[in-house]
Amino acid sequence: MNQHMNDKEMVNDILSSCKSSLTNYATAIGETSNQELRQTLQQIRNSDEQFQYQLYQLATQKGFYKPAATASSQQIQEVKSQLG
């Protein structure tokens, strides 16, 4: 049995970890009253979001990830009206 991860598995694993980390940063930021710590967490989160997006773009280019179909303008407006 092959115990090594292939490129697609590694990229998907990292993307999953990033998603989890971003959720945890959002929680920590929302619960932090110390302004300096809050700003530091926001900077780390922003950096991780940029990394995650770059990795997502690479995964899409290599065919490791197929994004959902693009929503139509009508679908976007329907969601906006439901939320607003």
Side-chain angles (χ1 to χ4, degrees):
M1 177 160 71
N2 186 357
Q3 295 181 3
H4 299 285
M5 295 175 77
N6 64 35
D7 290 346
K8 180 179 179 179
E9 291 170 330
M10 284 188 285
V11 167
N12 285 326
D13 187 55
I14 295 167
L15 284 171
S16 178
S17 294
C18 283
K19 183 178 179 180
S20 177
S21 293
L22 291 171
T23 299
N24 291 334
Y25 285 130
T27 300
I29 290 166
E31 295 176 354
T32 301
S33 60
N34 180 294
Q35 189 60 33
E36 186 176 345
L37 177 57
R38 185 182 184 89
Q39 288 175 343
T40 300
L41 290 171
Q42 288 171 328
Q43 289 170 349
I44 295 169
R45 181 208 54 208
N46 292 346
S47 176
D48 281 3
E49 284 177 341
Q50 289 175 350
F51 170 76
Q52 184 271 343
Y53 185 65
Q54 290 169 343
L55 189 58
Y56 155 80
Q57 289 177 314
L58 175 70
T60 301
Q61 282 178 343
K62 295 206 174 263
F64 297 164
Y65 180 81
K66 184 172 174 25
T70 304
S72 69
S73 296
Q74 180 182 352
Q75 290 169 319
I76 293 169
Q77 288 306 317
E78 286 174 17
V79 171
K80 283 182 176 181
S81 68
Q82 291 172 359
L83 297 175

